[in-house]
Tab-separated table of all heavy atoms in Angstrom:
chain	number	residue	atom	x	y	z
A	99	ALA	N	-4.392	29.542	-13.533
A	99	ALA	CA	-5.599	29.035	-14.352
A	99	ALA	C	-5.370	27.665	-14.724
A	99	ALA	O	-6.328	26.825	-14.750
A	99	ALA	CB	-5.694	29.950	-15.459
A	100	ALA	N	-4.104	27.254	-15.027
A	100	ALA	CA	-3.692	25.893	-15.537
A	100	ALA	C	-3.844	24.966	-14.350
A	100	ALA	O	-4.388	23.765	-14.567
A	100	ALA	CB	-2.423	25.851	-16.119
A	101	VAL	N	-3.577	25.296	-13.128
A	101	VAL	CA	-3.594	24.422	-11.953
A	101	VAL	C	-5.027	24.124	-11.600
A	101	VAL	O	-5.388	23.044	-11.141
A	101	VAL	CB	-2.840	25.115	-10.818
A	101	VAL	CG1	-3.101	24.382	-9.481
A	101	VAL	CG2	-1.305	25.069	-10.990
A	102	GLY	N	-5.910	25.219	-11.813
A	102	GLY	CA	-7.316	24.933	-11.382
A	102	GLY	C	-7.756	25.383	-10.025
A	102	GLY	O	-6.990	26.039	-9.310
A	103	PRO	N	-8.977	24.963	-9.549
A	103	PRO	CA	-9.536	25.423	-8.300
A	103	PRO	C	-8.740	24.973	-7.130
A	103	PRO	O	-8.946	25.548	-6.030
A	103	PRO	CB	-10.908	24.846	-8.334
A	103	PRO	CG	-10.895	23.729	-9.298
A	103	PRO	CD	-9.820	24.065	-10.304
A	104	GLY	N	-7.974	23.913	-7.146
A	104	GLY	CA	-7.102	23.506	-6.005
A	104	GLY	C	-6.304	24.507	-5.430
A	104	GLY	O	-6.164	24.611	-4.199
A	105	TYR	N	-5.656	25.350	-6.288
A	105	TYR	CA	-4.790	26.419	-5.820
A	105	TYR	C	-5.547	27.372	-4.979
A	105	TYR	O	-5.098	27.878	-3.821
A	105	TYR	CB	-4.136	27.119	-6.887
A	105	TYR	CG	-3.196	28.305	-6.516
A	105	TYR	CD1	-1.856	27.973	-6.225
A	105	TYR	CD2	-3.661	29.591	-6.374
A	105	TYR	CE1	-0.968	29.127	-5.850
A	105	TYR	CE2	-2.840	30.531	-6.029
A	105	TYR	CZ	-1.563	30.324	-5.632
A	105	TYR	OH	-0.778	31.322	-5.237
A	106	GLY	N	-6.719	27.853	-5.498
A	106	GLY	CA	-7.539	28.829	-4.788
A	106	GLY	C	-7.946	28.279	-3.336
A	106	GLY	O	-8.004	28.990	-2.371
A	107	GLU	N	-8.423	27.043	-3.328
A	107	GLU	CA	-8.756	26.425	-2.031
A	107	GLU	C	-7.678	26.319	-1.025
A	107	GLU	O	-7.852	26.632	0.253
A	107	GLU	CB	-9.318	24.932	-2.341
A	107	GLU	CG	-10.564	24.917	-3.107
A	107	GLU	CD	-10.903	23.618	-3.723
A	107	GLU	OE1	-10.304	22.578	-3.251
A	107	GLU	OE2	-11.791	23.404	-4.645
A	108	LEU	N	-6.415	26.066	-1.561
A	108	LEU	CA	-5.311	26.101	-0.615
A	108	LEU	C	-4.991	27.448	-0.066
A	108	LEU	O	-4.747	27.676	1.139
A	108	LEU	CB	-4.033	25.487	-1.359
A	108	LEU	CG	-2.789	25.378	-0.609
A	108	LEU	CD1	-2.988	24.619	0.714
A	108	LEU	CD2	-1.667	24.817	-1.437
A	109	ASP	N	-5.029	28.386	-1.027
A	109	ASP	CA	-4.848	29.814	-0.661
A	109	ASP	C	-5.800	30.324	0.390
A	109	ASP	O	-5.456	30.988	1.280
A	109	ASP	CB	-4.905	30.657	-1.874
A	109	ASP	CG	-4.570	32.153	-1.697
A	109	ASP	OD1	-3.309	32.493	-1.697
A	109	ASP	OD2	-5.485	32.889	-1.483
A	110	HIS	N	-7.065	29.857	0.177
A	110	HIS	CA	-8.186	30.246	1.132
A	110	HIS	C	-7.903	29.774	2.422
A	110	HIS	O	-8.019	30.492	3.437
A	110	HIS	CB	-9.561	29.892	0.486
A	110	HIS	CG	-10.632	30.238	1.348
A	110	HIS	ND1	-11.179	31.453	1.473
A	110	HIS	CD2	-11.372	29.420	2.247
A	110	HIS	CE1	-12.156	31.490	2.269
A	110	HIS	NE2	-12.321	30.308	2.800
A	111	ARG	N	-7.469	28.484	2.615
A	111	ARG	CA	-7.314	27.827	4.031
A	111	ARG	C	-6.048	28.519	4.663
A	111	ARG	O	-6.254	28.880	5.923
A	111	ARG	CB	-7.027	26.335	3.802
A	111	ARG	CG	-8.299	25.406	3.417
A	111	ARG	CD	-7.903	23.959	3.679
A	111	ARG	NE	-6.740	23.525	2.905
A	111	ARG	CZ	-6.984	23.030	1.666
A	111	ARG	NH1	-8.265	22.917	1.134
A	111	ARG	NH2	-5.966	22.552	0.957
A	112	LEU	N	-5.055	28.790	3.939
A	112	LEU	CA	-3.889	29.472	4.577
A	112	LEU	C	-4.227	30.791	5.006
A	112	LEU	O	-3.876	31.322	5.996
A	112	LEU	CB	-2.745	29.324	3.603
A	112	LEU	CG	-2.031	28.037	3.446
A	112	LEU	CD1	-1.229	28.064	2.174
A	112	LEU	CD2	-1.221	27.743	4.654
A	113	THR	N	-4.885	31.606	4.087
A	113	THR	CA	-5.301	32.932	4.381
A	113	THR	C	-6.138	33.027	5.634
A	113	THR	O	-5.872	33.941	6.535
A	113	THR	CB	-6.114	33.576	3.281
A	113	THR	OG1	-5.273	33.603	2.013
A	113	THR	CG2	-6.608	35.001	3.546
A	114	ALA	N	-7.080	32.095	5.840
A	114	ALA	CA	-7.942	32.079	6.934
A	114	ALA	C	-7.162	31.960	8.233
A	114	ALA	O	-7.302	32.622	9.227
A	114	ALA	CB	-9.052	31.055	6.900
A	115	ALA	N	-6.239	30.970	8.246
A	115	ALA	CA	-5.344	30.612	9.327
A	115	ALA	C	-4.489	31.826	9.740
A	115	ALA	O	-4.286	32.200	10.862
A	115	ALA	CB	-4.532	29.488	9.177
A	116	ILE	N	-3.906	32.512	8.690
A	116	ILE	CA	-3.111	33.674	8.973
A	116	ILE	C	-3.767	34.857	9.484
A	116	ILE	O	-3.409	35.508	10.499
A	116	ILE	CB	-2.353	34.039	7.573
A	116	ILE	CG1	-1.399	32.962	7.195
A	116	ILE	CG2	-1.665	35.422	7.683
A	116	ILE	CD1	-0.831	33.043	5.704
A	117	HIS	N	-4.982	35.057	8.916
A	117	HIS	CA	-5.845	36.112	9.427
A	117	HIS	C	-6.242	35.937	10.937
A	117	HIS	O	-6.053	36.916	11.762
A	117	HIS	CB	-7.159	36.289	8.594
A	117	HIS	CG	-6.831	37.063	7.345
A	117	HIS	ND1	-7.857	37.195	6.421
A	117	HIS	CD2	-5.724	37.526	6.711
A	117	HIS	CE1	-7.470	37.878	5.357
A	117	HIS	NE2	-6.134	38.135	5.595
A	118	ILE	N	-6.599	34.817	11.279
A	118	ILE	CA	-7.074	34.547	12.681
A	118	ILE	C	-5.775	34.718	13.573
A	118	ILE	O	-5.913	35.201	14.716
A	118	ILE	CB	-7.652	33.086	12.766
A	118	ILE	CG1	-8.960	33.072	12.040
A	118	ILE	CG2	-7.829	32.707	14.167
A	118	ILE	CD1	-9.543	31.732	11.856
A	119	ARG	N	-4.666	34.162	13.104
A	119	ARG	CA	-3.471	34.298	13.913
A	119	ARG	C	-3.120	35.768	14.304
A	119	ARG	O	-2.612	36.048	15.474
A	119	ARG	CB	-2.277	33.717	13.193
A	119	ARG	CG	-0.848	33.971	13.818
A	119	ARG	CD	-0.766	33.144	15.025
A	119	ARG	NE	0.579	33.168	15.684
A	119	ARG	CZ	1.092	34.182	16.473
A	119	ARG	NH1	0.191	35.259	16.838
A	119	ARG	NH2	2.213	34.171	16.858
A	120	PHE	N	-3.438	36.665	13.486
A	120	PHE	CA	-2.999	38.093	13.701
A	120	PHE	C	-4.265	39.025	14.025
A	120	PHE	O	-4.261	40.185	13.888
A	120	PHE	CB	-2.205	38.594	12.657
A	120	PHE	CG	-0.929	37.843	12.386
A	120	PHE	CD1	-0.683	37.156	11.256
A	120	PHE	CD2	0.099	37.815	13.484
A	120	PHE	CE1	0.506	36.372	11.124
A	120	PHE	CE2	1.187	37.039	13.276
A	120	PHE	CZ	1.320	36.374	12.094
A	121	GLY	N	-5.358	38.462	14.468
A	121	GLY	CA	-6.489	39.188	14.944
A	121	GLY	C	-7.481	39.713	13.946
A	121	GLY	O	-8.202	40.592	14.242
A	122	LEU	N	-7.337	39.166	12.720
A	122	LEU	CA	-8.301	39.507	11.670
A	122	LEU	C	-9.368	38.471	11.557
A	122	LEU	O	-9.158	37.303	11.815
A	122	LEU	CB	-7.501	39.738	10.256
A	122	LEU	CG	-6.426	40.796	10.231
A	122	LEU	CD1	-5.673	40.592	8.931
A	122	LEU	CD2	-6.894	42.213	10.538
A	123	PRO	N	-10.572	38.860	10.890
A	123	PRO	CA	-11.474	37.878	10.678
A	123	PRO	C	-11.000	36.786	9.585
A	123	PRO	O	-10.098	37.252	8.667
A	123	PRO	CB	-12.746	38.604	10.094
A	123	PRO	CG	-12.260	40.003	9.705
A	123	PRO	CD	-11.018	40.236	10.550
A	124	ALA	N	-11.351	35.582	9.696
A	124	ALA	CA	-10.893	34.601	8.772
A	124	ALA	C	-11.031	35.035	7.284
A	124	ALA	O	-10.328	34.857	6.403
A	124	ALA	CB	-11.533	33.298	9.034
A	125	GLN	N	-12.333	35.683	7.051
A	125	GLN	CA	-12.513	36.140	5.723
A	125	GLN	C	-12.890	37.728	5.873
A	125	GLN	O	-13.696	38.052	6.559
A	125	GLN	CB	-13.779	35.444	5.075
A	125	GLN	CG	-13.987	35.668	3.591
A	125	GLN	CD	-14.979	34.657	3.164
A	125	GLN	OE1	-15.450	33.787	3.757
A	125	GLN	NE2	-15.301	34.801	1.830
Side-chain angles (χ1 to χ4, degrees):
V101 169
Y105 178 89
E107 292 164 13
L108 178 57
D109 183 86
H110 180 75
R111 285 194 300 270
L112 285 164
T113 297
I116 291 164
H117 282 180
I118 292 168
R119 171 68 175 87
F120 299 117
L122 299 173
Q125 196 168 354

